Amino acid sequence: MAQENIRRIPAVTLAGVEGTYGTAATTARINPVSGTFEHTVTQDPIAVDAESAELYDHQSPVLGLKRATFRFDHHLRPAESAPLSTSTVVYPAFVSMLKAWFGGASPADSANVGTTATASPGTATSVNVTSDTNFTAGEWLLIQTANGLEPCRLASKAANTLALLPGLSTTPSANGVVANLVNLYPTPGVDSCSACTIEHAKADSANEQVRLLGCIADIEFSVAQNELVRFSINGRAANWSAGALSISTAVGADTAGSPFALASDAKLLFQDTTTTTQTHVSFEEISFKISLGLEHVVDLGGTVQGTAGIARVADRMFCEVTVTLREDTSTLTDWAAGTLKRVTLMIPRGSGTSRQWLVFDVPRASIEGRPTISYSSSGRMRHTVTLRSQIDTSLSTALRKAPFILAL
């Protein structure tokens, strides 16, 4: 026996995208919310029940397949500074992990980003830039106006002119910053996602370490007033190893900036899909539930604990949004008319030309069921509206017609 006193909180967690399914990836530091990482590793026993003349002749089982589950919370954190001029984007490790499971990200890791507006910058919905090379239709961008950096979505581009929908609150600044956000979005292809390696080591013991391989996950976002915005990972691994794995617990560099908090100046767009302007709608609660729809592919001859890879097997609906607002009969009118809505939540961090934004965007959604009545803690009547994401099938790329975009 070699008992140890091991504390839960001092720990290190790392993640990396697997180039070969089930083979340990090169990992880098992520920063889960302290104390939230939990895992369960198992290797199910296969019962042996051979006949015996002895009633209590229990026979030792045969070891079956390894399996593991894990969970943790993580804050949504941008890069330390926004790409305010032409530069290169570098993903924090947790963004690379999310990209593996979403399937799509734009701009790509290490891609060139950013540009500037021209001296004649255009309008709130049509911005002239010195070069449109670093931008892809469908991306959320940051563009400088008299109000600082504002988020907007690039609908299309031509001859160094960016068409925006939704647009800005005012005309962009002459010679102002035009910066990229990293846009994560689902790709519908069955094999469009990657598995990840997740490693966790307790700082108090070189023996209490785990490496999870072939990891996939479900994700849920938590957005509440006066709290840091976070997401919860509930994952499954196809294989694992545990013990003394030589995972370093040295204090590592943090590759992401300060997290976003839902404090003040957040903006909710709850408007018809054809509306081009940004008009904030007062809201009291909101949630985004997404369905990544990933599973391990069974292979009886598979070398990764009876599996051969991962696949996306999702249902039609990718994102369900629930919004609670002050009582508003227009939501009933929209429901009865089948009006399609855009639901976009934008949360800022910082101010002026260094301001960064977190964007949850459902560009097209149907109201599912008649909005219901709920009451605040003080008894004030409210409407709760549930919407489910759709796509515009007339659009040409997975990014442009994405049912949900997370941009940061």
Side-chain angles (χ1 to χ4, degrees), residues 12 19 70 72 101 135 162 164 168 175 189 206 237 248 260 376 384 408:
V12 167
F70 62 95
F72 60 87
W101 295 329
F135 302 101
L162 310 181
L164 308 177
L168 303 164
N175 303 310
S248 173
F260 289 95
S376 70
T384 297
L408 70 165

Short mmCIF file of all heavy atoms in Angstrom, two decimals, residues 12 19 70 72 101 135 162 164 168 175 189 206 237 248 260 376 384 408:
data_model
loop_
_atom_site.label_atom_id
_atom_site.label_comp_id
_atom_site.label_asym_id
_atom_site.label_seq_id
_atom_site.Cartn_x
_atom_site.Cartn_y
_atom_site.Cartn_z
N VAL A 12 -3.93 19.91 -13.52
CA VAL A 12 -3.64 20.39 -14.86
C VAL A 12 -4.50 19.59 -15.84
O VAL A 12 -4.60 18.36 -15.73
CB VAL A 12 -2.14 20.21 -15.21
CG1 VAL A 12 -1.90 20.41 -16.70
CG2 VAL A 12 -1.29 21.17 -14.40
N GLY A 19 -4.76 13.51 -34.79
CA GLY A 19 -4.54 13.34 -36.22
C GLY A 19 -4.92 11.96 -36.67
O GLY A 19 -5.44 11.76 -37.77
N PHE A 70 -16.31 11.76 -19.00
CA PHE A 70 -15.68 12.89 -18.32
C PHE A 70 -16.58 14.10 -18.46
O PHE A 70 -17.44 14.17 -19.35
CB PHE A 70 -14.29 13.19 -18.90
CG PHE A 70 -14.29 13.58 -20.36
CD1 PHE A 70 -14.29 14.91 -20.75
CD2 PHE A 70 -14.29 12.61 -21.36
CE1 PHE A 70 -14.30 15.28 -22.09
CE2 PHE A 70 -14.29 12.96 -22.70
CZ PHE A 70 -14.29 14.29 -23.06
N PHE A 72 -16.48 18.64 -17.52
CA PHE A 72 -15.90 19.83 -16.89
C PHE A 72 -16.58 21.06 -17.46
O PHE A 72 -17.24 21.00 -18.50
CB PHE A 72 -14.37 19.90 -17.10
CG PHE A 72 -13.91 19.96 -18.53
CD1 PHE A 72 -13.81 21.18 -19.21
CD2 PHE A 72 -13.56 18.81 -19.21
CE1 PHE A 72 -13.36 21.23 -20.53
CE2 PHE A 72 -13.11 18.84 -20.51
CZ PHE A 72 -13.00 20.06 -21.18
N TRP A 101 -14.98 19.31 -32.59
CA TRP A 101 -16.31 18.73 -32.41
C TRP A 101 -17.38 19.46 -33.22
O TRP A 101 -18.33 18.84 -33.69
CB TRP A 101 -16.68 18.72 -30.94
CG TRP A 101 -15.79 17.81 -30.13
CD1 TRP A 101 -15.19 16.66 -30.57
CD2 TRP A 101 -15.41 17.96 -28.77
NE1 TRP A 101 -14.46 16.08 -29.56
CE2 TRP A 101 -14.57 16.85 -28.44
CE3 TRP A 101 -15.67 18.89 -27.78
CZ2 TRP A 101 -14.01 16.68 -27.17
CZ3 TRP A 101 -15.13 18.72 -26.52
CH2 TRP A 101 -14.31 17.63 -26.21
N PHE A 135 -11.22 37.58 -45.50
CA PHE A 135 -12.57 37.41 -44.99
C PHE A 135 -13.34 36.41 -45.85
O PHE A 135 -13.16 36.34 -47.06
CB PHE A 135 -13.30 38.75 -44.94
CG PHE A 135 -12.59 39.76 -44.09
CD1 PHE A 135 -11.82 40.76 -44.68
CD2 PHE A 135 -12.65 39.70 -42.72
CE1 PHE A 135 -11.15 41.68 -43.91
CE2 PHE A 135 -11.97 40.62 -41.93
CZ PHE A 135 -11.22 41.61 -42.53
N LEU A 162 -17.67 44.87 -48.43
CA LEU A 162 -18.29 43.86 -47.57
C LEU A 162 -19.76 44.21 -47.36
O LEU A 162 -20.09 45.30 -46.86
CB LEU A 162 -17.58 43.81 -46.22
CG LEU A 162 -16.06 43.69 -46.22
CD1 LEU A 162 -15.53 43.62 -44.79
CD2 LEU A 162 -15.60 42.48 -47.03
N LEU A 164 -23.04 43.55 -45.24
CA LEU A 164 -23.25 43.10 -43.87
C LEU A 164 -24.72 42.82 -43.59
O LEU A 164 -25.59 43.59 -43.99
CB LEU A 164 -22.74 44.15 -42.88
CG LEU A 164 -21.31 44.66 -43.09
CD1 LEU A 164 -20.99 45.74 -42.07
CD2 LEU A 164 -20.31 43.52 -43.02
N LEU A 168 -24.07 47.41 -38.96
CA LEU A 168 -23.58 48.18 -37.82
C LEU A 168 -24.64 49.16 -37.34
O LEU A 168 -25.63 49.41 -38.02
CB LEU A 168 -22.32 48.93 -38.23
CG LEU A 168 -21.17 48.08 -38.78
CD1 LEU A 168 -20.16 48.95 -39.51
CD2 LEU A 168 -20.52 47.29 -37.67
N ASN A 175 -10.71 54.70 -42.39
CA ASN A 175 -9.40 54.11 -42.05
C ASN A 175 -9.45 53.34 -40.73
O ASN A 175 -8.43 53.19 -40.05
CB ASN A 175 -8.32 55.18 -41.97
CG ASN A 175 -8.20 55.95 -43.27
OD1 ASN A 175 -8.11 55.36 -44.34
ND2 ASN A 175 -8.23 57.28 -43.17
N GLY A 189 -21.27 17.08 -42.66
CA GLY A 189 -20.71 15.83 -43.16
C GLY A 189 -20.57 14.78 -42.07
O GLY A 189 -20.21 15.08 -40.92
N ALA A 206 2.31 12.12 -8.79
CA ALA A 206 2.75 11.72 -10.13
C ALA A 206 2.02 10.47 -10.60
O ALA A 206 2.13 10.10 -11.79
CB ALA A 206 4.26 11.47 -10.12
N ALA A 237 -15.08 8.84 -23.95
CA ALA A 237 -13.81 8.45 -24.54
C ALA A 237 -13.88 7.00 -24.99
O ALA A 237 -14.53 6.16 -24.36
CB ALA A 237 -12.68 8.63 -23.54
N SER A 248 3.21 16.59 -17.33
CA SER A 248 3.78 17.67 -16.52
C SER A 248 2.68 18.48 -15.84
O SER A 248 1.68 18.83 -16.46
CB SER A 248 4.63 18.59 -17.40
OG SER A 248 5.06 19.72 -16.65
N PHE A 260 -15.39 36.28 -20.75
CA PHE A 260 -16.53 37.19 -20.91
C PHE A 260 -17.47 37.05 -19.72
O PHE A 260 -17.71 35.94 -19.23
CB PHE A 260 -17.30 36.85 -22.19
CG PHE A 260 -16.59 37.21 -23.46
CD1 PHE A 260 -15.83 36.26 -24.13
CD2 PHE A 260 -16.68 38.49 -23.98
CE1 PHE A 260 -15.18 36.58 -25.31
CE2 PHE A 260 -16.02 38.82 -25.15
CZ PHE A 260 -15.28 37.87 -25.83
N SER A 376 -41.76 36.38 -12.86
CA SER A 376 -40.53 36.66 -12.13
C SER A 376 -40.72 36.35 -10.66
O SER A 376 -41.84 36.06 -10.21
CB SER A 376 -40.12 38.13 -12.32
OG SER A 376 -41.03 38.97 -11.63
N THR A 384 -42.14 33.39 -22.28
CA THR A 384 -41.01 32.54 -22.59
C THR A 384 -41.22 31.94 -23.97
O THR A 384 -42.25 31.29 -24.22
CB THR A 384 -40.85 31.43 -21.54
OG1 THR A 384 -40.56 32.04 -20.27
CG2 THR A 384 -39.71 30.49 -21.90
N LEU A 408 -15.93 34.38 -31.34
CA LEU A 408 -15.22 35.04 -30.23
C LEU A 408 -13.82 35.42 -30.67
O LEU A 408 -13.33 34.98 -31.69
CB LEU A 408 -15.16 34.14 -29.00
CG LEU A 408 -14.30 32.88 -29.01
CD1 LEU A 408 -14.12 32.37 -27.58
CD2 LEU A 408 -14.83 31.79 -29.90
#
